[in-house]
Amino acid sequence: MNKLASARVLLNFALDAVLAVLALPLALWLAGPGSWPPDPGWWAMGGVLAALTVLVPAWAFGLHNQYWRFAGLRDLLAVMAAALMAALIFWLANAALGAWRPANPAFPVLHAMVLAGLLGVPRLVSRLQALRRVWEQQGLPPILVVGSADQVDLFIHALAREKRPSYRVQGVLTRRTRQTGRRLHGQPILGAIEEAEAVLDRLRAEGRLPALLVLASPETRGPALETLLDAADRH
């Protein structure tokens, strides 16, 4: 796991833990608006317990690996399952410790619902913002990004971070044929570099010919570069 991926995993864990702590008082208020723990020290224990009990379900259901801006239905279902498991673990752990518990027997269900909402809404908002950026880019010149998967990944990631990008990525050409059909940052890998002419022919027939071919890998040279230039020159 590279440093960027490790940082994303740790950030996801931290954010989910914070949201789990915030979910606890909201669930308690819903369970009994005037019924609060008599011991102030319970809040510290409850907050730590809420943060810890969400980490195991988050790991089990892959919440730590989610890209919030690409969250889909499967990701939201995983959030709901993790929230349900976390609420159950919290209830059982709290009971095992002999600590104060809400009188309302529906508290675990309310806790799971509030936790699912707090974990899911930020992911949904991030997804909507990503879609809005995609819609805003529809009028930008389309490009094909060419190079190794790692270099293309870096280029698309950098382009996505620009507030006002100059281009929108239409597809990818990589160095390996077996990667065709996969997706990078949601963009389709249309073929290998040596298949550039066939790919451009197909895009022209579909009325989707790109404005530019962008070389993301400096090692693209020799016959591969000649093939790419020939294909671009024909179109």
Side-chain angles (χ1 to χ4, degrees), residues 148-211:
S148 65
D150 291 339
Q151 296 293 332
V152 171
D153 175 74
L154 289 174
F155 176 85
I156 296 179
H157 183 74
L159 187 64
R161 294 179 61 183
E162 293 187 3
K163 292 184 177 180
R164 295 183 179 180
S166 302
Y167 308 101
R168 63 177 176 88
V169 179
Q170 179 180 355
V172 177
L173 294 177
T174 62
R175 298 171 62 185
R176 294 181 175 86
T177 306
R178 59 185 173 86
Q179 294 176 329
T180 302
R182 299 180 182 179
R183 303 183 79 86
L184 275 174
H185 287 277
Q187 305 302 330
I189 298 179
L190 302 175
I193 296 176
E194 56 267 22
E195 300 171 331
E197 184 171 358
V199 170
L200 291 177
D201 285 339
R202 185 170 70 250
L203 292 177
R204 176 181 286 277
E206 296 172 356
R208 299 190 301 119
L209 199 63

Side-chain angles (χ1 to χ4, degrees), residues 18-33 35-36 42-43 50 102 104 106-107 109-119:
V18 171
L19 292 172
V21 173
L22 295 176
L24 182 58
L26 290 176
L28 288 172
W29 181 81
L30 289 175
S35 178
W36 298 105
W42 185 92
W43 287 106
N104 190 342
F107 172 75
V109 176
L110 295 172
H111 189 193
M113 293 173 60
V114 173
L115 184 56
L118 288 184
L119 292 177

Side-chain angles (χ1 to χ4, degrees), residues 201-226:
D201 285 339
R202 185 170 70 250
L203 292 177
R204 176 181 286 277
E206 296 172 356
R208 299 190 301 119
L209 199 63
L212 292 173
L213 299 180
V214 177
L215 292 178
S217 297
E219 64 269 19
T220 303
R221 56 173 66 93
L225 181 59
E226 291 180 7

